[in-house]
Amino acid sequence: MIRRPVVIAGARPNFPKVAPLMRALAGEGVPARLVHTGQHYDAAMSASFFECLDIPEPAANLGVGSGSHATQTAAVMVAIETWLESADADALLVVGDVNSTVACALVAAKAGIPVGHVEAGLRSFDRSMPEEINRVMVDALATWLFTPSADGDENLRAEGVEPERIHLVGNVMVDSLYYALPEARRRSTVADLGLTREGFGLVTLHRPALVDHPDRLADVARTLSEIGKRLPLVFPVHPRTRQMLQRCDIPLDPRRVQIVEPLGYLDFLALEEAAALVLTDSGGVQEETSVLGVPCLTLRDNTERPVTVTRGTNRLVGFDRGTIVSAAHAALARGRRPADIPLWDGQACQRIAQVLTRGAPAPQFVPPALAAHGSEEFRAGRARIPSRPGEE
Ligand code: UD1
Ligand code: UDP
């Protein structure tokens, strides 16, 4: 049973994952301390999420900032090691697959602090992705492996992980989505950008496999301008991508593709939910669009989230212009389709907190209690979840 957990966050996709985790642990009477590594630091990439998602003030910000993989990972390791020396932590919880995740897991494991990995077991089987290396390493080190979907369990078992370390809990990103959706729906983001519901497409791109290759990025920019002839696109641009577009002087037709700064979580969710189509290479966005039922085209050759393709709305389209344009037309013709993914029900973090604080086995299947989402009870973390299949 843990009593003094520390939760780590560092980069944009970590914040929607730690927000419900902090709430759920507090709800079980074990409030966690949050440490922000400072991997992401622009207000639009970090601070804005604390406000939208009611994330408590971090106990520390390690302020590591940007750098090469080794520089950034090492800076996080040195800083978290020093911080942990006087922290008296009895568990360290990391989320996702960014450099902060692996750096903190490695330090804690060597310091004898048990590690919990939230979003364990995901595999793209593509070691050219830095995140894949991070995933494999963190899963090897963690005591508790909290998986979002059954494919994660299978991947871990295939790597020889003991079954008692694996807990299928569902998708924590979806906890935040349901928490924030009612408020996102009240926002005027769509109209403020001169758009209409289901009358536009939303774009996010930031993976090195795409944006760090100028020819590929230029070709995708032309593809977006072409899709924009039929459907206006809005593109909140990640800092990595903005730098490459500027450095390589890659044009995007402003009549067809509206470029904006990275958006706060609620504004982004408002657009994502109202979009007719999403084009992305983000992991989290593949998941969110699946839950929202919004057609999603992923500009990658693989995904570590296959369930979004088999049960959600996601389709892998690579980088080829003809393939992407025809997939966009087909997706628009097909329209929305609600996904049906077990345990992506907004209660994953409650299951994690129960495993950590009571040692209770995570339920293997819980019917989605969709009616509870957005209710005061749900937002306060008080919605009751059945602990056995079929239990009411
Ligand atoms: C990181 C994660 C990636 C995740 C993405 C989410 C790793 C290896 N990669 O990629 O898995 O999908 O975050 O967004 O951890 N920058 C700013 N302001 C910021 C942060 C970054 O301008 O607040 C710029 C810097 O020039 C930096 C570059 O963006 O060098 C890349 O940042 P970095 O954290 O290294 O990687 P991401 O591409 O953001
Ligand atoms: N997101 C956001 N504003 C944006 C783009 C994305 O709030 O302008 C959110 C999105 O809803 C999701 C998360 O950021 O919750 C995904 O992060 P990102 O795409 O940076 O990382 P990945 O999931 O690919 O690791």
Side-chain angles (χ1 to χ4, degrees):
M1 257 30 67
I2 66 162
R3 289 284 168 260
R4 298 176 306 281
V6 170
V7 170
I8 303 293
R12 178 167 70 183
N14 295 164
F15 304 123
K17 296 171 194 171
V18 300
L21 187 58
M22 299 290 292
R23 260 195 309 279
L25 286 166
E28 286 290 323
V30 190
R33 281 163 291 171
L34 179 66
V35 175
H36 189 330
T37 66
Q39 177 174 343
H40 283 179
Y41 42 84
D42 289 349
M45 300 293 289
S46 171
S48 72
F49 287 79
F50 281 72
E51 216 173 289
C52 298
L53 285 164
D54 303 319
I55 305 175
E57 191 69 25
N61 187 322
L62 307 178
V64 299
S66 305
S68 69
H69 284 281
T71 306
Q72 188 175 59
T73 308
V76 175
M77 287 179 71
V78 171
I80 193 70
E81 186 177 57
T82 308
W83 190 85
L84 284 172
E85 273 165 14
S86 56
D88 191 26
D90 66 358
L92 183 119
L93 307 175
V94 293
V95 299
D97 54 18
V98 302
N99 284 344
S100 299
T101 311
V102 70
C104 293
L106 189 49
V107 169
K110 286 194 175 179
I113 302 168
V115 173
H117 186 203
V118 175
E119 210 178 81
L122 299 189
R123 296 289 182 271
S124 64
F125 303 101
D126 173 3
R127 294 248 174 137
S128 71
M129 278 184 96
E131 295 83 357
E132 182 73 355
I133 293 169
N134 295 345
R135 291 178 200 121
V136 169
M137 287 191 61
V138 177
D139 286 345
L141 297 168
T143 299
W144 299 278
L145 295 160
F146 297 111
T147 54
S149 45
D151 52 284
D153 296 42
E154 278 164 34
N155 293 335
L156 292 170
R157 282 197 298 266
E159 289 171 17
V161 173
E162 304 84 336
E164 54 276 18
R165 285 168 61 205
I166 306 171
H167 304 273
L168 176 59
V169 292
N171 189 323
V172 301
M173 204 70 158
V174 181
D175 293 14
S176 270
L177 187 148
Y178 283 131
Y179 179 81
L181 199 53
E183 204 176 327
R185 282 191 173 130
R186 285 195 286 273
R187 289 177 98 85
S188 58
T189 322
V190 173
D192 292 349
L193 288 166
L195 304 166
T196 55
R197 190 176 172 80
E198 296 194 47
F200 70 97
L202 176 65
V203 181
T204 82
L205 301 169
H206 69 272
R207 295 268 165 225
L210 168 53
V211 307
D212 288 3
H213 296 264
D215 290 347
R216 196 171 267 179
L217 184 59
D219 200 37
V220 165
R222 283 190 288 273
T223 306
L224 296 178
S225 296
E226 186 166 339
I227 295 171
K229 286 182 199 163
R230 169 162 175 199
L231 185 74
L233 299 178
V234 58
F235 185 3
V237 181
H238 187 284
R240 175 188 285 276
T241 313
R242 181 177 287 280
Q243 282 166 20
M244 288 304 285
L245 289 169
Q246 282 168 353
R247 192 178 310 153
C248 304
D249 206 14
I250 295 173
L252 272 156
D253 184 342
R255 292 164 306 167
R256 296 181 174 138
V257 185
Q258 194 179 156
I259 297 242
V260 295
E261 290 298 313
L263 293 168
Y265 183 71
L266 291 174
D267 285 325
F268 187 79
L269 201 50
L271 292 182
E272 204 175 12
E273 201 258 337
L277 177 68
V278 172
L279 298 122
T280 194
D281 58 7
S282 156
V285 172
Q286 294 172 57
E287 299 173 333
E288 291 165 349
T289 46
S290 282
V291 174
L292 293 167
V294 175
C296 176
L297 303 183
T298 294
L299 279 67
R300 287 176 48 185
D301 293 326
N302 54 53
T303 180
E304 60 289 332
R305 291 156 164 97
V307 73
T308 61
V309 175
T310 54
R311 302 187 73 141
T313 59
N314 190 20
R315 184 167 164 203
L316 293 176
V317 292
F319 308 114
D320 175 68
R321 196 179 329 166
T323 309
I324 299 170
V325 171
S326 65
H329 290 162
L332 288 170
R334 209 170 40 244
R336 292 177 170 236
R337 176 163 65 87
D340 164 31
I341 306 178
L343 299 178
W344 290 29
D345 60 358
Q347 297 173 340
C349 284
Q350 289 187 48
R351 297 187 191 100
I352 293 172
Q354 287 179 4
V355 171
L356 291 170
T357 60
R358 304 182 200 170
Q364 294 301 298
F365 174 74
V366 175
L370 288 170
H373 299 139
S375 70
E376 279 312 308
E377 267 208 321
F378 177 75
R379 288 174 65 88
R382 292 195 304 267
R384 204 184 70 83
I385 49 172
S387 59
R388 297 260 179 286
E391 185 195 290
E392 291 308 319

